[in-house]
């Protein structure tokens, strides 16, 4: 590693982890209003409260819905393209399927509208009501074929079931058929009962914990053996996966039950998945590169929330990656993940 | 780092993470036999089954209770001293307090007997019924004052409550008063509902997850601010803590609620705790050194279970640590943790 020797490819970055929240939510159309149907309420200048179940879930800035404000921020972040996806608490997996479908349809329409207003500098990920796999597949078809979204954002768990559970196989088969990439983001995480301190620890500690377990469930559940063409990424650098991996690899070598049920070494499987760079630390980034390989990492920022990486390209530079690695992480891996270079699929 | 340049201080290692299981368990003395009171049943040569709730919990070798066999293995592992602690599923936190006290007393007596048979090459950690803090403190007094054990092994959670929960403060105060080190080991972990695959994944994935959350709970709960003299170590390299830490440090800088409730930077607090080296990977070991510092790591093996580090000193060597770091990790930190050099407390 030779820190600060390479200059970052300026302004070419692709951020695959950035969120939107719509300025408004529609009224629920149906008989029984779900208790957690979201709404927006006025807050201080340029901000609004996301209201869920009668409480302020989060106060967000107009950068969540304003295309001009978002576009104005991209150059200073070194980004040529930002891929926007809804704030995960809006997945609505916990609602009745019809309500979840209504909410995700609205979010997908809003996402497509934001992408349209982006003048080529924004791309979008859809969301789908995974509490009902058939409905989710139909919504994915709409998001990809009608709205032109390139990927789908899903939770690290769906009402407690990790994404690697075999029951989700038909959905991932549809993702491959539709050439839609999958971005797995933490939501309603495991481990909440182990936290001691303020509510923010959910995002800070339990989110990466749940993402790590979700990624591990994909590895141990054999999803990539069944869907080798699936392009799947994990938020927050894969969360705790990098720390779990050496023990998983060793466990695979020691326990016959693991070797019998997992067809390839976990240390190989993890290199066929994608991860964002949202770890706020040079040494941790280098550890991700070591564990997952140079083809696996893509820039992620959590823009425009407060807990975001504000200088993602400088972070790559300070991690001391070589020029080829910088190019791969800053944009080439993301282009492959998003299917933007179809002729380069095999590289 | 200059791998393979330094030679490991041979035969001076101290292993702080090794387990015992007694050859027999006594009959329960009381009216209502706890369903999960353990017993042993014959297995193949030199092995016995640990029976819990009518099922084989684990099949273990006679190295779990035989001092001669254990001592015969130490030289090849490069160890001068091994600190033995009971297999964590024997903590009995889930039993009525009186039953838990009976079980931990038996285990402490067995541990002391094994230490006595060790001719100075074995030390011991007690266990205590933490489901009743007063009983736990009394058992700790017995373990330290009467039996001469140097440390106490506790679970990463006690019936679901993480060790950093303030209700355990009186116990840790007693640990400081008795000069007993605390070794936190995974048990009945969080995240079980996120696993997809064989039962061994509990040990492989959920154990380090629970240890990471336990260590984080100590950091965010401020235990070391209240008990600055507490010497506390975490199993399995602190589990996922190393991966959680950069995000915790960044979250502490971003969220006012965290800065207000946590008095020092988490990246500083973690360097005042101890961790074993049981991570099965050179790069991960170097990451632990980077995150936790050279004074924090101690050799751990999980001897004599199948899922153990069989060559702990070679692992340090292949990680490429310098001579001072090798000395610190192989034995000096453990001596400080165990209080074996009282005059060197301040170094």
């Amino acid at each position: 590693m030779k820190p600060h020797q390479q200059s970052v490819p300026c302004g070419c970055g692709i951020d695959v982890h950035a969120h939107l929240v719509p300025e408004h939510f529609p009224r629920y159309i149906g008989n029984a209003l779900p208790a957690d149907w979201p709404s927006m309420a006025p807050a201080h200048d340029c901000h609004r409260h996301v209201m869920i179940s009668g409480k302020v879930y989060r106060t967000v800035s107009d950068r969540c819905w304003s295309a001009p404000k978002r576009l104005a921020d991209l150059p200073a972040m070194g980004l040529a393209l930002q891929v926007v996806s809804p704030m995960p608490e809006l997945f609505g997996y916990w609602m009745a399927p019809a309500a979840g479908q209504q909410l995700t349809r609205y979010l997908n329409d809003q996402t497509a509208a934001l992408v349209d207003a982006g003048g080529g500098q924004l791309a979008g990920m859809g969301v789908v009501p995974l509490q009902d796999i058939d409905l989710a597949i139909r919504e994915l078809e709409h998001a990809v074929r009608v709205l032109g979204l390139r990927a789908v954002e899903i939770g690290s768990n769906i009402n407690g079931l990790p994404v690697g559970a075999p029951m989700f196989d038909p959905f991932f088969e549809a993702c491959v058929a539709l050439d839609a990439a999958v971005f797995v983001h933490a939501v309603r995480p495991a481990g909440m009962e182990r936290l001691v301190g303020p509510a923010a620890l959910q995002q800070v500690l339990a989110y990466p914990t749940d993402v790590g377990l979700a990624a591990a469930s994909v590895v141990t559940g054999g999803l990539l053996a069944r869907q080798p063409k699936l392009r799947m990424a994990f938020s927050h650098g894969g969360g705790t996966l990098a720390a779990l991996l050496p023990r998983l690899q060793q466990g695979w070598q020691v326990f016959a039950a693991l070797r019998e049920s997992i067809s390839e070494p976990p240390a190989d499987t993890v290199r066929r998945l994608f991860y964002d760079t949202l770890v706020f630390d040079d040494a941790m980034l280098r550890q991700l590169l070591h564990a997952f390989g140079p083809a696996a990492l893509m820039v992620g920022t959590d823009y425009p929330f407060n807990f975001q990486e504000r200088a993602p390209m400088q972070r790559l530079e300070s991690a001391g990656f070589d020029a080829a690695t910088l190019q791969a992480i800053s944009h080439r891996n993301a282009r492959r993940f998003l299917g933007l270079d179809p002729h380069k699929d095999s590289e």
Side-chain angles (χ1 to χ4, degrees), chain A:
Chain A
M1 318 264 182
K2 296 172 183 172
H4 305 298
Q5 255 194 2
Q6 307 295 343
S7 81
V8 177
C10 201
C12 67
I14 299 179
D15 174 10
V16 300
H17 183 176
H19 293 297
L20 74 122
V21 179
E23 188 173 6
H24 308 276
F25 285 92
R27 284 180 191 275
Y28 172 71
I29 301 171
N31 290 323
L33 176 71
D36 39 12
W37 188 262
S39 63
M40 300 295 276
H44 55 286
D45 281 358
C46 306
H47 284 69
R48 288 169 77 80
H49 300 305
V50 184
M51 306 297 297
I52 295 178
S53 303
K55 293 178 189 163
V56 176
Y57 171 74
R58 195 178 289 180
T59 303
V60 298
S61 85
D62 56 3
R63 286 175 165 76
C64 283
W65 54 84
S66 162
K69 290 211 172 182
R70 188 181 292 262
L71 294 176
D73 286 339
L74 297 189
M77 297 172 78
L79 299 177
L81 181 71
Q82 189 176 62
V83 190
V84 295
S85 56
M87 178 174 76
E89 190 61 23
L90 302 174
F91 287 147
Y93 298 150
W94 30 89
M95 298 178 187
Q101 195 276 332
Q102 198 180 129
L103 181 58
T104 56
R105 172 61 57 96
Y106 175 73
L107 290 165
N108 291 336
D109 290 344
Q110 292 289 308
T111 301
L114 185 58
V115 170
D116 281 347
Q121 294 186 73
L122 300 178
M125 295 187 186
V127 287
V128 294
L130 267 169
Q131 62 269 57
D132 181 317
I133 307 243
D134 291 336
L135 272 185
I137 292 173
R138 272 183 276 163
E139 188 59 29
L140 181 67
E141 288 169 349
H142 178 82
V144 172
R145 289 185 177 152
V146 178
L147 300 177
L149 303 180
R150 305 212 61 92
V152 58
E153 178 198 32
I154 69 173
S156 48
N157 73 86
I158 288 87
N159 298 321
L161 274 177
V163 292
M167 69 164 289
F168 300 115
D169 275 10
F171 175 72
F172 294 123
E173 190 180 340
C175 292
V176 171
L178 289 162
D179 200 28
V182 177
F183 182 67
V184 180
H185 192 292
V187 73
R188 301 210 174 176
M192 290 297 292
E193 71 280 16
R194 296 293 193 269
L195 306 181
V196 178
L201 293 179
Q202 178 184 32
Q203 279 183 70
V204 172
L205 296 173
Y207 267 23
T209 296
D210 211 60
V211 172
L213 291 170
S217 81
V218 166
V219 174
T220 62
L223 176 57
L224 287 192
R226 297 188 295 280
Q227 296 294 341
K229 291 190 171 176
L230 184 65
R231 304 192 306 273
M232 187 177 229
F234 292 86
S235 67
H236 310 98
T240 54
L241 180 66
L244 297 173
L245 180 62
R247 188 168 169 84
L248 177 56
Q249 175 65 21
Q250 179 76 7
W252 183 81
Q253 287 163 344
V254 168
F255 292 104
L258 288 179
R259 272 198 317 286
E260 283 158 18
S261 68
I262 303 173
S263 59
E264 75 174 346
D268 292 352
T269 309
V270 298
R271 298 171 84 90
R272 298 196 284 132
L273 297 165
F274 293 83
Y275 313 85
D276 71 26
T277 55
L278 190 50
V279 295
F280 303 111
D281 186 69
D282 296 348
M284 189 73 200
L285 258 187
R286 291 191 292 267
Q287 177 73 3
L288 297 189
L289 183 73
H290 170 81
F292 304 146
L297 302 183
M298 310 183 288
V299 172
T301 64
D302 247 333
Y303 176 98
F305 296 139
N306 282 340
F307 194 17
Q308 68 170 283
E309 175 61 77
R310 291 172 195 277
M313 307 300 275
Q314 287 91 322
R315 173 70 70 193
L316 300 185
E317 187 177 31
S318 73
F321 296 140
D322 62 33
T325 303
L326 279 176
Q327 282 209 350
I329 300 178
S330 64
H331 61 285
R332 291 189 62 176
N333 295 339
R335 293 188 67 84
R336 204 172 75 252
F337 172 69
L338 296 166
L340 292 173
D341 306 310
H343 59 291
K344 288 189 179 174
D345 258 5
S346 59
E347 75 172 356

